[in-house]
Amino acid sequence: MTPTRDPSAATRVIHAACPHDCPDTCAIRVTVEGERLIRLQGEPDHPTTHGALCTKVSRYAERNSHPERVLQPLRRVGPKGSGQFEPVGWDEALDDIAARLKAIAARDPQAILPYSYAGTMGFVQGEAMAGRFFHRLGASQLNRTICAEAGATGLALTYGATVGMHLEHFAESRLILIWGSNSIASNLHFWTYAQAAKRAGAKLIAIDPRRTETAEKCHQHIALRPGTDSALALGLMHELVINDWLDHDYLTRHVEGWPELRERALQWPPERAAEVCGITADEVRGLARDYGTTAPVAIRLNYGMQRVAGGGNAARLIALLPCLVGAWRHRAGGLLLSASGWNKPFRNRALERPDLLAGRQPRSINMSTIGDDLLREASPDFGPKIEALIVYNSNPVAVAPESAKVVAGFRREDLFTVVLEHFLTDTADHADYVLPATTQLEHWDVHASYGHTYLLINEPALPPAGQARSNAEIFRQLAARMGFDEPCFQDDDLSLARQAFEVDFDELRRVGWLKLPVPEAPFAEGRFFTPSGKAQACAPGLPLPDHVPNHESAERDPALAQRYPLAMISPPARNFLNSTFVNVKSLRDIEGEPLLEICEADAQARGLADGQPVRVYNDRGEYHCVARVSPRARPGVVNGLGVWWRKLGRNGTNVNQLTHQRLTDLGEAPCFYDCLVEVAPL
Ligand code: SF4
């Protein structure tokens, strides 16, 4: 019998969406028989998913029915961080949590901090009811910077919004620069279009410090040093100017500050750029020739390159390259870093109800400096000490930088911590209460994408496992206990889904997705979203972008670079997504154990052999893993694949034991890939 969408059918298919922090935001077709999951597959009819899910989410059923799922509320019985809990009833847990929060809020609600990110990208189980709860409470606000803020800010300064090309049009490009992106691992559906372009004769060039799975399948790989992308962009601009590979008409009509940018570019001959980047001048010249003499030419930029001190400036410079050659004139030309700005006009700004602040202006805490901030005392500058943390959709003990401080903060006996989770993660181990959350198969949600231009629905396919409740339901019930009696706290999850976007919700449910009305070639005639309507190289109050060296570099700190001569980046292991899926055994078995890729010359200089246990260290700590002597690492750079759960690693740490909390030039984001280390045999 063919499965149908009829809710009364014995076997039925349901529209779902992948909730993970990935630009592809796949549409998923779930087939259930009664309350039994029969099949989970990429939706064949969704244009950019085209029936395929990545290896990770193909195992979603294994994750969903994992024997270690938290299925009932838990209360801490051991020391902080020990992961020792006892089961407790929902009412008892919620009553106690509400009482503790009320007592703190009576002193100052800003002593309570939400901590969440993209564990689910859904609007309902993200910040809908949670936002209402924390706004009504007057809690501290969280500055959600941990992934993309430097690049997003740079992009928005250049184009006026975080917008770019249609994903689908990359298939028609003649040259694609895949810049700072291991697409095969973390943007798989883009790679499908890039391969189509390749089959049609396009050239693919990877720009990445690491020789990734993607880089080795491109025609060329330029392995620059981490944090030097801006220097490469300036070197390319120099060559475009010198050789007059410019679209003068486009520059004159659609770029603000071009004369100033031209002068700056002329200061960056290929030799200078090459020296900073650790590549050859001929590589700079060749890349510029390809870029300046091919059309249509497209750049798929991704967020790896912006996790450094100068990440925002680098994003600005790279985003200007398509303007120099007039690439935006073609629908298969231009750049894509984020498409999230295209869905902004359709979002309901009132979903999180900021009006519930009622004029209060709580302080904002940067999630990337949680290590420092949990250890701060009250002060006039900082405000009250953080007394309570409510964590959902995030695993900060594993993913926030400078873990030693994050752990010390989470271990404070006077910190009250509640974690909404599926599993006992490194963070949940530090909770006073762990509350079991539903998975994507068990709740309503709606999704937008930062990599394509569709909205998607996620309908529940299975009943909640055990006693799990949706995030929205947990915050609704906490709100009731706090005495928040505004009608908006009565909205159920389906109502929240209906409110999230100003679109035809019934049509969204019927089809499963809706395409946003985005122009085919959005900037063919300029019309950027900036005040002038032009792309901004510089403008009143906005200086020209420039190369900004890494915080931890020989340029800024020669003594540090002498002690720790290796630059470490920490890209995601192919089978993990941030820290999600590390506990899925079949995926962890593929990864084996925490690895540090190091090139042969650097390994030999330290007497390291492939497969040897090593200590990776700097002034912030020490991380134990296994050396993988590999051409994936370039000289002077090591790749610490992440993000392992600390408790599943070798010495109870992961790469973030070594990263620091200094921030980027724009967006106040973390600098995970701006980190000097040394490596020695263990
Ligand atoms: S993680 Fe990305 S590629 Fe994998 S299913 Fe989700 S959206 Fe698709």
Side-chain angles (χ1 to χ4, degrees):
M1 192 171 61
T2 313
T4 79
R5 297 198 185 275
D6 176 356
S8 62
T11 304
R12 55 199 182 96
V13 290
I14 291 154
H15 288 303
C18 176
H20 293 295
D21 188 0
C22 168
D24 295 22
T25 318
C26 290
I28 299 179
R29 181 183 287 187
V30 184
T31 307
V32 293
E33 194 176 86
E35 295 186 350
R36 200 161 60 91
L37 179 66
I38 302 292
R39 192 169 180 203
L40 186 142
Q41 65 192 117
E43 174 59 63
D45 298 333
H46 181 250
T48 61
T49 304
H50 39 73
L53 300 177
C54 63
T55 318
K56 298 167 285 236
V57 174
S58 302
R59 317 283 171 104
Y60 201 84
E62 183 181 344
R63 185 177 185 277
N64 207 68
S65 57
H66 195 296
E68 290 165 11
R69 238 186 104 180
V70 179
L71 296 176
Q72 57 192 326
L74 300 173
R75 179 168 53 201
R76 176 166 74 93
V77 291
K80 282 258 174 166
S82 66
Q84 294 169 25
F85 298 99
E86 63 179 4
V88 61
W90 268 110
D91 283 339
E92 200 180 341
L94 293 175
D95 286 348
D96 189 34
I97 293 167
R100 300 278 296 264
L101 296 182
K102 269 186 193 170
I104 296 168
R107 294 191 289 280
D108 188 339
Q110 295 180 99
I112 300 168
L113 178 69
Y115 198 100
S116 66
Y117 199 65
T120 172
M121 299 285 288
F123 281 68
V124 176
Q125 309 307 340
E127 306 306 325
M129 192 56 75
R132 295 176 186 193
F133 180 83
F134 291 112
H135 284 138
R136 173 68 177 76
L137 185 60
S140 283
Q141 307 213 309
L142 186 71
N143 192 7
R144 293 182 170 83
T145 58
I146 204 161
C147 178
E149 274 311 290
T153 307
L155 193 66
L157 286 173
T158 310
Y159 300 158
T162 52
V163 289
M165 289 172 60
H166 286 267
L167 173 61
E168 296 93 320
H169 295 164
F170 278 93
E172 300 160 18
S173 306
R174 300 295 299 163
L175 169 68
I176 306 177
L177 308 190
I178 303 177
W179 198 321
S181 173
N182 183 5
S183 311
I184 291 175
S186 54
N187 191 190
L188 184 64
H189 296 77
F190 158 75
W191 182 245
T192 306
Y193 293 106
Q195 277 183 305
K198 191 179 177 189
R199 281 195 298 275
K203 183 172 182 180
L204 309 185
I205 302 178
I207 302 171
D208 197 314
R210 180 174 182 244
R211 190 162 183 80
T212 61
E213 297 88 339
T214 307
E216 64 193 9
K217 289 194 167 53
C218 288
H219 296 95
Q220 187 185 352
H221 173 213
I222 295 178
L224 76 184
R225 289 194 188 103
T228 63
D229 306 76
S230 47
L232 179 58
L234 285 161
L236 294 178
M237 288 182 186
H238 178 280
E239 289 302 282
L240 296 175
V241 172
I242 291 294
N243 293 289
D244 198 22
W245 293 320
L246 298 170
D247 185 332
H248 293 281
D249 174 62
Y250 196 92
L251 281 164
T252 305
R253 289 198 293 136
H254 304 312
V255 180
E256 190 172 2
W258 165 239
E260 294 88 341
L261 181 62
R262 183 179 181 281
E263 288 309 306
R264 176 147 296 168
L266 287 173
Q267 296 161 20
W268 282 85
E271 289 72 16
R272 181 182 176 194
E275 191 181 342
V276 172
C277 298
I279 58 177
T280 67
D282 279 346
E283 284 178 291
V284 181
R285 285 192 199 97
L287 181 61
R289 175 177 296 280
D290 281 339
Y291 191 73
T293 60
T294 313
V297 58
I299 300 175
R300 181 56 170 107
L301 187 61
N302 215 334
Y303 287 107
M305 46 65 66
Q306 48 96 68
R307 295 187 181 124
V308 293
N313 270 269
R316 286 181 65 198
L317 284 162
I318 297 166
L320 285 161
L321 282 169
C323 301
L324 268 66
V325 298
W328 286 113
R329 291 185 189 276
H330 310 269
R331 72 175 196 170
L335 173 141
L336 177 61
L337 170 62
S338 173
S340 66
W342 294 122
N343 66 61
K344 264 195 184 143
F346 300 91
R347 290 188 213 161
N348 175 2
R349 286 172 213 286
L351 183 69
E352 299 166 23
R353 296 295 303 269
D355 57 298
L356 292 168
L357 281 169
R360 295 168 294 175
Q361 293 183 321
R363 68 170 169 193
S364 190
I365 301 273
N366 189 336
M367 69 189 306
S368 303
T369 55
I370 190 66
D372 280 342
D373 291 336
L374 281 178
L375 298 175
R376 274 189 225 283
E377 295 296 328
S379 73
D381 277 351
F382 182 61
K385 187 172 181 174
I386 299 171
E387 292 185 57
L389 259 184
I390 317 291
V391 183
Y392 51 104
N393 303 335
S394 187
N395 183 9
V397 172
V399 304
E402 203 170 357
S403 303
K405 288 189 176 172
V406 181
V407 169
F410 270 84
R411 292 214 169 139
R412 273 177 40 204
E413 276 301 329
D414 63 341
L415 179 74
F416 178 59
T417 304
V418 179
V419 177
L420 285 58
E421 250 303 350
H422 303 142
F423 298 104
L424 289 180
T425 61
D426 291 330
T427 304
D429 279 349
H430 289 79
D432 293 283
Y433 281 100
V434 183
L435 302 179
T438 46
T439 66
Q440 188 76 344
L441 293 175
E442 300 163 358
H443 57 222
W444 281 100
D445 222 322
V446 284
H447 289 257
S449 173
Y450 61 94
H452 62 61
T453 46
Y454 295 84
L455 306 179
L456 295 96
I457 187 91
N458 184 80
E459 304 212 3
L462 300 174
Q467 297 178 32
R469 294 179 181 175
S470 75
N471 287 356
E473 172 67 7
I474 294 170
F475 282 109
R476 203 161 27 238
Q477 297 196 356
L478 273 176
R481 285 169 169 79
M482 299 291 288
F484 300 163
D485 54 9
E486 290 80 357
C488 68
F489 289 106
Q490 304 296 322
D491 290 340
D492 62 15
D493 288 17
L494 178 55
S495 308
L496 293 170
R498 200 175 275 282
Q499 291 167 33
F501 295 112
E502 283 154 4
V503 296
D504 183 342
F505 185 75
D506 296 327
E507 183 69 359
L508 178 62
R509 278 194 70 180
R510 191 183 67 75
V511 180
W513 55 88
L514 289 180
K515 175 121 176 96
L516 295 167
V518 176
E520 286 284 284
F523 306 124
E525 288 301 322
R527 300 197 191 106
F528 291 92
F529 297 103
T530 55
S532 63
K534 296 181 176 187
Q536 296 184 141
C538 64
L542 178 67
L544 274 179
D546 204 351
H547 170 59
V548 179
N550 279 359
H551 290 294
E552 299 201 339
S553 59
E555 290 101 308
R556 282 214 188 171
D557 193 342
L560 186 79
Q562 210 156 29
R563 263 187 301 147
Y564 302 116
L566 296 170
M568 187 187 78
I569 59 172
S570 43
R574 182 170 176 180
N575 292 285
F576 304 154
L577 204 157
N578 301 330
S579 72
T580 309
F581 296 106
V582 181
N583 65 326
V584 174
K585 189 170 180 312
S586 65
L587 293 170
R588 197 169 67 247
D589 285 348
I590 302 172
E591 290 299 329
E593 56 187 325
L595 294 177
L596 183 88
E597 294 170 349
I598 184 166
C599 76
E600 199 163 344
D602 287 331
Q604 268 178 8
R606 290 161 180 81
L608 302 175
D610 186 49
Q612 183 170 352
V614 291
R615 47 189 286 264
V616 192
Y617 61 96
N618 59 21
D619 289 346
R620 291 175 289 275
E622 178 162 322
Y623 167 51
H624 296 178
C625 58
V626 168
R628 170 60 35 85
V629 179
S630 164
R632 290 206 190 283
R634 57 153 285 156
V637 179
V638 289
N639 311 320
L641 304 185
V643 179
W644 280 77
W645 289 13
R646 291 166 59 87
K647 63 183 174 183
L648 297 175
R650 280 195 160 229
N651 62 335
T653 62
N654 67 18
V655 280
N656 283 320
Q657 198 74 13
L658 305 171
T659 53
H660 58 76
Q661 296 179 71
R662 270 167 287 174
L663 301 174
T664 52
D665 51 350
L666 298 171
E668 300 187 322
C671 296
F672 289 112
Y673 297 0
D674 175 344
C675 175
L676 290 178
V677 300
E678 183 52 291
V679 186
L682 190 60

PDB file of all heavy atoms in Angstrom, residues 18-20 22-26 28 52-54 56-57 188-189 577, ligand 1:
ATOM      1  N   CYS A  18      15.345  18.955   8.659  1.00  0.00           N
ATOM      2  CA  CYS A  18      16.526  18.710   9.497  1.00  0.00           C
ATOM      3  C   CYS A  18      16.733  19.917  10.405  1.00  0.00           C
ATOM      4  O   CYS A  18      16.781  21.050   9.933  1.00  0.00           O
ATOM      5  CB  CYS A  18      17.753  18.473   8.632  1.00  0.00           C
ATOM      6  SG  CYS A  18      19.226  18.298   9.666  1.00  0.00           S
ATOM      7  N   PRO A  19      16.900  19.693  11.707  1.00  0.00           N
ATOM      8  CA  PRO A  19      16.998  20.818  12.635  1.00  0.00           C
ATOM      9  C   PRO A  19      18.421  21.299  12.889  1.00  0.00           C
ATOM     10  O   PRO A  19      18.623  22.231  13.652  1.00  0.00           O
ATOM     11  CB  PRO A  19      16.454  20.199  13.932  1.00  0.00           C
ATOM     12  CG  PRO A  19      16.916  18.765  13.872  1.00  0.00           C
ATOM     13  CD  PRO A  19      16.857  18.392  12.397  1.00  0.00           C
ATOM     14  N   HIS A  20      19.407  20.689  12.244  1.00  0.00           N
ATOM     15  CA  HIS A  20      20.788  20.928  12.687  1.00  0.00           C
ATOM     16  C   HIS A  20      21.399  22.178  12.070  1.00  0.00           C
ATOM     17  O   HIS A  20      20.908  22.720  11.092  1.00  0.00           O
ATOM     18  CB  HIS A  20      21.638  19.691  12.392  1.00  0.00           C
ATOM     19  CG  HIS A  20      21.213  18.527  13.224  1.00  0.00           C
ATOM     20  ND1 HIS A  20      21.338  18.517  14.588  1.00  0.00           N
ATOM     21  CD2 HIS A  20      20.594  17.371  12.890  1.00  0.00           C
ATOM     22  CE1 HIS A  20      20.845  17.390  15.060  1.00  0.00           C
ATOM     23  NE2 HIS A  20      20.380  16.682  14.066  1.00  0.00           N
ATOM     24  N   CYS A  22      23.317  23.564   9.905  1.00  0.00           N
ATOM     25  CA  CYS A  22      23.897  23.224   8.600  1.00  0.00           C
ATOM     26  C   CYS A  22      23.159  24.070   7.575  1.00  0.00           C
ATOM     27  O   CYS A  22      21.945  24.220   7.666  1.00  0.00           O
ATOM     28  CB  CYS A  22      23.670  21.728   8.342  1.00  0.00           C
ATOM     29  SG  CYS A  22      24.003  21.206   6.643  1.00  0.00           S
ATOM     30  N   PRO A  23      23.877  24.633   6.605  1.00  0.00           N
ATOM     31  CA  PRO A  23      23.196  25.519   5.654  1.00  0.00           C
ATOM     32  C   PRO A  23      22.178  24.812   4.759  1.00  0.00           C
ATOM     33  O   PRO A  23      21.356  25.476   4.129  1.00  0.00           O
ATOM     34  CB  PRO A  23      24.358  26.080   4.809  1.00  0.00           C
ATOM     35  CG  PRO A  23      25.515  25.191   5.050  1.00  0.00           C
ATOM     36  CD  PRO A  23      25.324  24.565   6.384  1.00  0.00           C
ATOM     37  N   ASP A  24      22.220  23.479   4.710  1.00  0.00           N
ATOM     38  CA  ASP A  24      21.384  22.766   3.734  1.00  0.00           C
ATOM     39  C   ASP A  24      19.912  22.669   4.141  1.00  0.00           C
ATOM     40  O   ASP A  24      19.033  22.524   3.295  1.00  0.00           O
ATOM     41  CB  ASP A  24      21.937  21.362   3.499  1.00  0.00           C
ATOM     42  CG  ASP A  24      23.316  21.397   2.854  1.00  0.00           C
ATOM     43  OD1 ASP A  24      23.993  22.431   2.966  1.00  0.00           O
ATOM     44  OD2 ASP A  24      23.712  20.396   2.253  1.00  0.00           O
ATOM     45  N   THR A  25      19.622  22.697   5.440  1.00  0.00           N
ATOM     46  CA  THR A  25      18.249  22.608   5.953  1.00  0.00           C
ATOM     47  C   THR A  25      17.394  21.692   5.070  1.00  0.00           C
ATOM     48  O   THR A  25      16.478  22.133   4.369  1.00  0.00           O
ATOM     49  CB  THR A  25      17.602  24.004   6.085  1.00  0.00           C
ATOM     50  OG1 THR A  25      18.569  24.904   6.619  1.00  0.00           O
ATOM     51  CG2 THR A  25      16.389  23.971   6.999  1.00  0.00           C
ATOM     52  N   CYS A  26      17.692  20.413   5.145  1.00  0.00           N
ATOM     53  CA  CYS A  26      17.042  19.438   4.261  1.00  0.00           C
ATOM     54  C   CYS A  26      15.585  19.218   4.644  1.00  0.00           C
ATOM     55  O   CYS A  26      15.226  19.203   5.823  1.00  0.00           O
ATOM     56  CB  CYS A  26      17.764  18.100   4.351  1.00  0.00           C
ATOM     57  SG  CYS A  26      19.383  18.141   3.591  1.00  0.00           S
ATOM     58  N   ILE A  28      12.790  16.458   5.000  1.00  0.00           N
ATOM     59  CA  ILE A  28      12.867  15.032   5.316  1.00  0.00           C
ATOM     60  C   ILE A  28      11.481  14.421   5.151  1.00  0.00           C
ATOM     61  O   ILE A  28      10.475  15.024   5.552  1.00  0.00           O
ATOM     62  CB  ILE A  28      13.388  14.823   6.759  1.00  0.00           C
ATOM     63  CG1 ILE A  28      14.794  15.422   6.904  1.00  0.00           C
ATOM     64  CG2 ILE A  28      13.400  13.344   7.125  1.00  0.00           C
ATOM     65  CD1 ILE A  28      15.393  15.297   8.302  1.00  0.00           C
ATOM     66  N   ALA A  52      18.341  13.345  -0.758  1.00  0.00           N
ATOM     67  CA  ALA A  52      19.548  12.866  -0.074  1.00  0.00           C
ATOM     68  C   ALA A  52      19.729  13.530   1.286  1.00  0.00           C
ATOM     69  O   ALA A  52      19.595  14.751   1.408  1.00  0.00           O
ATOM     70  CB  ALA A  52      20.767  13.163  -0.941  1.00  0.00           C
ATOM     71  N   LEU A  53      20.044  12.739   2.280  1.00  0.00           N
ATOM     72  CA  LEU A  53      20.471  13.260   3.582  1.00  0.00           C
ATOM     73  C   LEU A  53      21.947  12.917   3.747  1.00  0.00           C
ATOM     74  O   LEU A  53      22.451  11.975   3.133  1.00  0.00           O
ATOM     75  CB  LEU A  53      19.672  12.616   4.715  1.00  0.00           C
ATOM     76  CG  LEU A  53      18.157  12.814   4.693  1.00  0.00           C
ATOM     77  CD1 LEU A  53      17.519  12.054   5.848  1.00  0.00           C
ATOM     78  CD2 LEU A  53      17.797  14.293   4.771  1.00  0.00           C
ATOM     79  N   CYS A  54      22.627  13.646   4.617  1.00  0.00           N
ATOM     80  CA  CYS A  54      24.029  13.318   4.875  1.00  0.00           C
ATOM     81  C   CYS A  54      24.113  12.058   5.752  1.00  0.00           C
ATOM     82  O   CYS A  54      23.111  11.620   6.335  1.00  0.00           O
ATOM     83  CB  CYS A  54      24.723  14.498   5.540  1.00  0.00           C
ATOM     84  SG  CYS A  54      24.035  14.888   7.148  1.00  0.00           S
ATOM     85  N   LYS A  56      25.257  11.702   8.643  1.00  0.00           N
ATOM     86  CA  LYS A  56      24.922  11.941  10.058  1.00  0.00           C
ATOM     87  C   LYS A  56      23.424  11.798  10.287  1.00  0.00           C
ATOM     88  O   LYS A  56      22.966  11.047  11.160  1.00  0.00           O
ATOM     89  CB  LYS A  56      25.370  13.356  10.473  1.00  0.00           C
ATOM     90  CG  LYS A  56      26.842  13.586  10.368  1.00  0.00           C
ATOM     91  CD  LYS A  56      27.202  15.052  10.467  1.00  0.00           C
ATOM     92  CE  LYS A  56      26.894  15.823   9.219  1.00  0.00           C
ATOM     93  NZ  LYS A  56      27.989  16.540   8.600  1.00  0.00           N
ATOM     94  N   VAL A  57      22.662  12.522   9.508  1.00  0.00           N
ATOM     95  CA  VAL A  57      21.222  12.563   9.771  1.00  0.00           C
ATOM     96  C   VAL A  57      20.531  11.309   9.238  1.00  0.00           C
ATOM     97  O   VAL A  57      19.440  10.945   9.697  1.00  0.00           O
ATOM     98  CB  VAL A  57      20.629  13.890   9.245  1.00  0.00           C
ATOM     99  CG1 VAL A  57      19.123  13.917   9.368  1.00  0.00           C
ATOM    100  CG2 VAL A  57      21.230  15.045  10.051  1.00  0.00           C
ATOM    101  N   LEU A 188      26.708  19.607   1.968  1.00  0.00           N
ATOM    102  CA  LEU A 188      26.671  18.539   0.963  1.00  0.00           C
ATOM    103  C   LEU A 188      25.844  18.891  -0.266  1.00  0.00           C
ATOM    104  O   LEU A 188      26.210  18.551  -1.390  1.00  0.00           O
ATOM    105  CB  LEU A 188      26.102  17.278   1.625  1.00  0.00           C
ATOM    106  CG  LEU A 188      26.072  16.019   0.792  1.00  0.00           C
ATOM    107  CD1 LEU A 188      27.485  15.582   0.444  1.00  0.00           C
ATOM    108  CD2 LEU A 188      25.357  14.900   1.562  1.00  0.00           C
ATOM    109  N   HIS A 189      24.730  19.587  -0.051  1.00  0.00           N
ATOM    110  CA  HIS A 189      23.837  19.839  -1.182  1.00  0.00           C
ATOM    111  C   HIS A 189      24.360  20.935  -2.099  1.00  0.00           C
ATOM    112  O   HIS A 189      24.051  20.947  -3.291  1.00  0.00           O
ATOM    113  CB  HIS A 189      22.414  20.090  -0.680  1.00  0.00           C
ATOM    114  CG  HIS A 189      21.863  18.869   0.000  1.00  0.00           C
ATOM    115  ND1 HIS A 189      22.243  18.521   1.279  1.00  0.00           N
ATOM    116  CD2 HIS A 189      21.040  17.891  -0.429  1.00  0.00           C
ATOM    117  CE1 HIS A 189      21.644  17.386   1.605  1.00  0.00           C
ATOM    118  NE2 HIS A 189      20.910  16.988   0.591  1.00  0.00           N
ATOM    119  N   LEU A 577      28.465  16.964  13.970  1.00  0.00           N
ATOM    120  CA  LEU A 577      27.986  18.287  13.604  1.00  0.00           C
ATOM    121  C   LEU A 577      28.079  19.136  14.866  1.00  0.00           C
ATOM    122  O   LEU A 577      27.272  18.985  15.768  1.00  0.00           O
ATOM    123  CB  LEU A 577      26.548  18.187  13.092  1.00  0.00           C
ATOM    124  CG  LEU A 577      26.097  19.306  12.172  1.00  0.00           C
ATOM    125  CD1 LEU A 577      24.948  18.859  11.313  1.00  0.00           C
ATOM    126  CD2 LEU A 577      25.774  20.565  12.926  1.00  0.00           C
TER     127      LEU A 577
HETATM  128  S1  SF4 B   1      22.928  18.070   8.582  1.00  0.00           S
HETATM  129 FE1  SF4 B   1      22.744  19.282   6.700  1.00  0.00          FE
HETATM  130  S2  SF4 B   1      23.073  17.851   4.991  1.00  0.00           S
HETATM  131 FE2  SF4 B   1      22.671  16.648   6.853  1.00  0.00          FE
HETATM  132  S3  SF4 B   1      20.472  16.271   6.718  1.00  0.00           S
HETATM  133 FE3  SF4 B   1      20.786  18.084   7.996  1.00  0.00          FE
HETATM  134  S4  SF4 B   1      20.584  19.805   6.614  1.00  0.00           S
HETATM  135 FE4  SF4 B   1      20.875  17.965   5.351  1.00  0.00          FE
END
